[in-house]
Structures are given as structure tokens and as C-alpha cells.
Amino acid sequence: MTDPTENRYPLLAGIERPADLRGLEEAELVQLAQEIRDFLIESVSKTGGHLAAGLGAVELTIALHYAFDTPEDRLVWDVGHQTYPHKILTGRRDRMHTLRQKGGLAGFPRREESEYDTFGVGHASTSVSAALGMAVAAARTGSERKVVAVIGDGALSGGQAFEALNNAGSLDADLLVILNDNDMSISPNVGAMSNYLARILSGKVYTSMREGSKTVLSTIPPIWELAKRAEEHMKGMVMPSTLFEELGFHYYGPIDGHDLHTLTKTLRNLRKLKGPRFLHVVTRKGKGYEPAEGDPCVYHGVTPFDPATGKMEKKPSGKTYTQVFGEWLCDMAEHDPRLIGITPAMREGSGMVAFSQRFPERYFDVGIAEQHALTFAAGLACEDMKPVVAIYSTFLQRGYDQLIHDVCLQNLPVLLAIDRGGLVGADGPTHHGSFDLSYLRALPNLTVMAPADENECRQMLTTGFRLNGPAAVRYPRGAGAGVALEPELRTLPIGKAQIRREGKRIALLAFGSMLAPALEVAEALDATVVNMRFVKPLDAELVLELARTHELLVTVEENAVAGGAGSAVNECLAAAGAAQRTINLGLPDRFVEHGEPTALLKECGLDAAGIRRSILQHIQAEHPALLAEIA
């Protein structure tokens, strides 16, 4: 897209780094906010990405870089959805047209991308922990730099955030935590009086008086106790909670997060203070763009759209695996009243909207709390409920200990509906589901399934739900092959694979999404193709039979090769003493970058051409006689 010009974005055009921003008069910041908002809408309308959160954080971003000496002062963002304005102000404006595209800017902060990105993020609730580490490091080295963590109200629902807040308060760390609260309506406390109070409470005069009075009054215990109670009582009248004070923080706010004068004044005051400080800022998601303000959930993550109308490009036709799960969940809930649906703050992304509306009393959104989600499900299962936890592969990693100890060790009937297995595309390495088959198949009692199409996904969900033990169904993002769904709730035989094509000499053992390219390769090589279906328990009988009748076994999975499904096949052969030639194809031993999924699969050699090439190269190097026979 065209870079900003002086005519279209006169202030923004002159800002290449935050130092330029700090050269502006405060009165110019309101115009700058509008220019950034306009530029952000124009940019994201072409690339797609996260929109509503960034629109709501424009003024806060400006005020932070205006009041603090970044990058010397450390600014740590949580999750990163709201950081597009930060990218625009920190030297990346002219690359925003490459956002989330292969080789372009990442959709989240990344240390490799900019010195202003002090901590790489993608999963929620990490900012306070990271910022606390930086604050402690600054103290250890005698640095005067300031450290700020910006966390949203959603991310604050994660337990790690409270662990860090508790630790920071007990350490008396020199740390400012900003709560960007964009979910609550602006309460009566947020207005002229509240903004005035926040400026006063963060000012030098009040702070010195407060600390001085503590010193004096503490020598007279009864009066000191009375004064403490009076202070808390007064705060209770103008502030929403004393929770953060109890954790050891000095609490300020709530203030209007779109009032630049109040923000800059308050942040400048807070920069001069030391110790744990907590600033509560209330913003509006989608601020300044009517479609996003009207439906911030829809405009949280967008495809390219028309800026004038907000109308988005149509997504590819075909039923997605997420939709298949959502429909199955409602169908199964009709049949079994014990079904309980659980999500860690991913209702829309996991396809649970219809279920939450039809069965509200059986729907639980536990917030960004994956550990709790798993143990909560385990508790339900102990009492004869049948919990279904809908969770992204990348987020299940955060509840691994609970999956091991609270679900699998107790052999409880919890079904994991694992979305976004494999490469997810533009969200990149923080969101790819690259490791689940590896970390799941190591767990005793757990049945692990990977569907090759939509109907098989439905059958596997039914199979896992009806097992008297833990089960996981791992499916990819996006649409399947277009296979029609059977209305019946049918199960599959446990641990049984399916031969999809009879061939000679070479057998391709495909797991989940890799069946389609494996079939294409098999036509060229006259190979046998097996839809393995189960990663655990593996169909050992069929694997050993294929080893006896074929000269080469090739496993293909959209998962890390290390410890993955292919490793399960190797272990099966080794345990039986079968000296069989195998090739294990899957994701490489590195973090795969962001980009369009088909391009990433090609890069990893997991498209049909790449699979065929790998097989032929291996045969040429190790078994040239076989190459002559299949050519």
C-alpha cells in the first residue's frame, strides 16, 4: 500500500520512531491519534489481521511512548492483538502492508523484529511476569530505566498474571502495570472527577504527603489504624476495588483511556514514582470505526474488508472443522444431558456460539485459564458428567500438567476437541499446533485421533465422547475436503486404520490432514495409502503387515517429526524386531514462521510435490534398485 504522505497523514508522516513523537506538542496528539486510526483501518483493510483491539489502544499507545523514554524504558505488551499502533510508531509503518504475510511483519511483538518489542508474545497473561523480570534485572544492574506492562482485562483472567502480581507486590518492584480494560462499560467513576483524582493521586504532592503521614501516624498505632481504614473507605467510594492494593500495588484509576491529556499527565506522574503501581485504564474496542465499535468480536480478527462499509471478503466456501465440531456438540448434547461444554475464552473461535445459546446452563467459559479448564473438567468427570473441552492445540500446551495429573492419571472421561492442529497460517509460530501429537501420545490412558475429513471428525468426536476414559480429537484449521456429514452419531473401532489405496512396494501411512496429499503421491508412485486415524492406540497389526509386504514405509503428519506419529510407527516396528526401512515426514525441527498455510506446507515439504520429492531422494540415495522399478 502507499506510504503516508504529508497531505494525508501530516503528523504521522514525520514520525519514524517514538523520539519524533516526543517532539510534538501535546495539543497535536489528538490529531495524531486520528491519523493513526485512519492509517490502521486503511492498512488492515488490505492485509486482514487484528483490528478492534488496536483501534481501542491508539491513545494509550501514543501516551506511553510520549511519557516514557522508549526503548530505554521497557514496554511489555500482553498477547499483542493491540500492538499495531505500537508497530506504526516504532519504525514499521512502511511495512504494515506486509503484516502477517510470509516474510513480512509478524502479527505480534517479536524481539527479532524491533528493539521496541521488548518481549515476544502470542499467548496471554505473560506481560507482568516478563516485566517483573526486567524490573528486577534493572535493579540488579543499577539501571534507572522504567518498566511498564500493559495487560487487557481478558488476559487478567489468566492465573499467571495474578501469580506475577502477587510476586511483584511482595518484592516491592519498581514496576508499572496498566490494565487496559476494554470489556466493561465506562462506569460513573470514569469521568472528569475520576480523571482528576487519578492525576492527583499519581502526583508528587499527594504521594509525599501520603508517605509522610504514614511515617508520622505509624508512631501512634490507634490513629494509624484509623487513618488506614479511612483511606481505604474513601478509595472504596471512588475506585472499583482494593484488590490490587492488597497485592502490594498502589492503585490509580480508572481513567478514560481515550483522554490523551489525562493519560499523558498521569503516566508522566507515575514515571516519577517508584515501587509497584497499577493504573486502570478504560478503553473501547474498535474506537473510532463504527463497524468495529458495533461488533468488536467480529472485528477482533478480520479478513480484508472495504473500509467504507466494513464489509469483509468472503471466506472460502465449505464447512470448516470448527463448524463440524460446533454442530456435533449440539447434536450430542441433545442425546446426552450429561454433556458439559467448556472453553478457555474461545467461544467463537472454537465454534461454540450455537451451543452456548441452546444450552446456556451447560456452557462454561472459564476465561483465559487453560489449567483451570482441564481440572474443572476433571472435577465434572468425577461426578458422572461428560465434559468436552474445546481448545486450540497451542493453548492446550498451557494445561499439560493438568492433563497429565488431573485427567489421564485418574483415567477420567474428558474429551479434548483440539482445534488448529498443524500450521495455522498468519498467526505464526505462537499459534501453530506443531507439537500436540508428540506431547499427547506420551500420556497413558489417552486415546489420540486425527481425522482425515469432516465426517471422520464427527465420528471421532462421538467415539471419544463415548469412551470411558480421556480422549483427544485433533483437527486442522479451515475447511475440509467437502465430505458430506452423516446425521447419525456413529463411532469408529478403536485403534483401527483404514487402507485407502492398494499399491506396491511403498506404503504411505498418513495421519489426519496428510491423507489428501498422500493419495496424490500414491497415484504417481503406485503406492499403498493408509488412513491411520489413531495415533494412540496405533494399529500395530496393520503396521507390521505392511512392513512384511512393502519395502518402504513412509509416515506423513502435520506435526513435529520429533516424537510424533511417525516415531510411534518406528517404536512399533522396533518392538516387534522388524527391520523395516522407514521415512518419517513432518514439520521440521524449527519454529515455522507465519504465512499462508499452503505456502508453509510447501516450504516444509508437506505438499504432494514435496512428499514425492522426499521419497524419491531417499530411494535414490539408499535403494537405487527400487527407484528403477517404480520410475
Side-chain angles (χ1 to χ4, degrees), residues 196-262:
Y196 172 73
L197 284 169
R199 293 199 301 269
I200 293 298
L201 292 174
S202 65
K204 184 176 181 180
V205 173
Y206 172 81
T207 304
S208 60
M209 288 178 61
R210 184 177 191 268
E211 297 304 318
S213 65
K214 282 183 178 179
T215 302
V216 174
L217 294 175
S218 62
T219 64
I220 314 173
I223 297 178
W224 169 232
E225 187 62 30
L226 178 63
K228 280 205 303 182
R229 291 180 182 179
E231 181 184 30
E232 295 308 318
H233 176 69
M234 291 301 294
K235 282 186 174 179
M237 294 174 62
V238 297
M239 297 177 184
S241 173
T242 58
L243 168 64
F244 301 106
E245 294 262 352
E246 294 296 330
L247 288 170
F249 281 75
H250 295 309
Y251 176 93
Y252 306 92
I255 65 173
D256 184 348
H258 302 297
D259 182 337
L260 272 163
H261 174 67
T262 296

Side-chain angles (χ1 to χ4, degrees), residues 102 423 514 558 586-588 590 592 596-611 613-614:
K102 195 170 185 297
L423 301 178
M514 289 292 98
E558 196 175 340
L587 299 179
R590 61 178 171 81
V592 179
E596 201 276 325
T598 55
L600 296 181
L601 287 170
K602 181 178 180 180
E603 176 188 307
C604 294
L606 292 179
D607 61 341
I611 293 169
R613 183 170 57 250
S614 294

Side-chain angles (χ1 to χ4, degrees), residues 313-478:
E313 291 182 2
K314 289 186 177 180
K315 295 181 180 180
S317 59
K319 189 163 291 187
T320 66
Y321 282 95
T322 303
Q323 291 171 324
V324 170
F325 164 72
E327 292 177 10
W328 171 86
L329 190 65
C330 290
D331 291 347
M332 184 57 76
E334 292 278 8
H335 281 75
D336 194 330
R338 298 176 300 160
L339 184 150
I340 303 291
I342 302 168
T343 176
M346 295 300 295
R347 183 183 74 153
E348 287 78 14
S350 293
M352 298 183 74
V353 173
F355 177 80
S356 69
Q357 294 168 345
R358 289 178 57 185
F359 306 95
E361 74 286 353
R362 294 156 67 184
Y363 165 76
F364 293 88
D365 183 342
V366 301
I368 302 176
E370 294 85 0
Q371 296 178 5
H372 167 58
L374 269 294
T375 306
F376 174 53
L380 285 164
C382 285
E383 300 301 324
D384 202 34
M385 294 293 104
K386 295 284 286 184
V388 178
V389 180
I391 191 167
Y392 287 11
S393 169
T394 185
F395 299 140
L396 179 58
Q397 295 164 184
R398 311 187 84 183
Y400 192 52
D401 180 72
Q402 288 68 32
L403 177 58
I404 295 172
H405 286 269
D406 300 336
V407 177
C408 292
L409 180 61
Q410 303 186 89
N411 199 26
L412 293 171
V414 174
L415 173 62
L416 302 175
I418 305 174
D419 205 335
R420 269 67 166 178
L423 301 178
V424 299
D427 282 338
T430 59
H431 284 62
H432 291 323
S434 303
F435 312 109
D436 49 43
L437 297 185
S438 300
Y439 69 69
L440 290 173
R441 79 173 193 85
L443 304 185
N445 296 329
L446 182 64
T447 298
V448 183
M449 296 168 271
D453 60 51
E454 303 93 318
N455 192 55
E456 197 166 76
C457 182
R458 182 176 171 88
Q459 293 171 340
M460 287 181 177
L461 289 165
T462 305
T463 303
F465 183 80
R466 289 179 173 164
L467 283 177
N468 190 31
V473 179
R474 183 257 206 183
Y475 44 91
R477 181 178 188 175

